[in-house]
Amino acid sequence: MKATVNWREGLVFDATSGSGHGVTMDGNKVDAASPMELVLMAAGGCSSVDVVSILEKARQQVSGVRCEVNGERADAVPAVFTKVHLHFVVSGHNVAEKHVERAVALSADKYCSVAKMLEASVTITHSYSIEEE
């Protein structure tokens, strides 16, 4: 897996993945998300992929999954994440709580590569809620 990051101007950078997809980053958070914000988004995205896949395999009638990610950072430099919490809001029709609980647990304990990588130095917690449609 590869990526390239090119400086545009100021603290703005354009990144391109090995598969050809791009994203812009801004250290000042003016023109784009910062690299640290992208880390949170990556954790939420990775876990969300797992949760949706697992719920679909369980034949749950899911119409939406939102992952609200909150991160706390150290006060000192480097301001690494110390805690990350992922809260999944699953919406659908007759979605069984046991399936959502299992999907979130499997993502956290087994499948999400981003969260597994972070957990070596970050306390990661998970929660969920279900909204009936």
Side-chain angles (χ1 to χ4, degrees):
M1 189 173 288
K2 293 183 178 186
T4 303
V5 178
N6 287 305
W7 177 43
R8 187 189 302 170
E9 63 181 347
L11 294 179
V12 178
F13 298 83
D14 293 317
T16 306
S17 67
S19 60
H21 299 283
V23 65
T24 300
M25 300 176 281
D26 184 351
N28 289 322
K29 300 184 259 185
V30 174
D31 292 327
S34 74
M36 290 300 280
E37 288 173 318
L38 289 173
V39 170
L40 286 182
M41 289 189 269
C46 183
S47 282
S48 294
V49 166
D50 298 335
V51 169
V52 168
S53 296
I54 293 164
L55 290 174
E56 285 181 341
K57 287 176 185 165
R59 294 190 171 98
Q60 295 299 290
Q61 296 178 41
V62 175
S63 58
V65 173
R66 182 175 73 248
C67 184
E68 301 167 350
V69 188
N70 290 300
E72 293 181 23
R73 297 176 70 181
D75 290 332
V77 174
V80 298
F81 286 113
T82 56
K83 294 180 184 178
V84 172
H85 181 76
L86 293 89
H87 178 74
F88 295 90
V89 180
V90 178
S91 54
H93 182 66
N94 291 328
V95 177
E97 183 172 356
K98 70 178 183 177
H99 287 296
V100 175
E101 181 177 24
R102 179 176 178 270
V104 171
L106 281 171
S107 177
D109 298 335
K110 187 173 183 180
Y111 293 118
C112 179
S113 303
V114 176
K116 295 303 282 179
M117 181 177 59
L118 291 174
E119 76 180 12
S121 60
V122 179
T123 301
I124 301 180
T125 56
H126 301 78
S127 62
Y128 64 87
S129 59
I130 301 170
E131 296 177 346
E132 182 69 24
E133 286 195 345

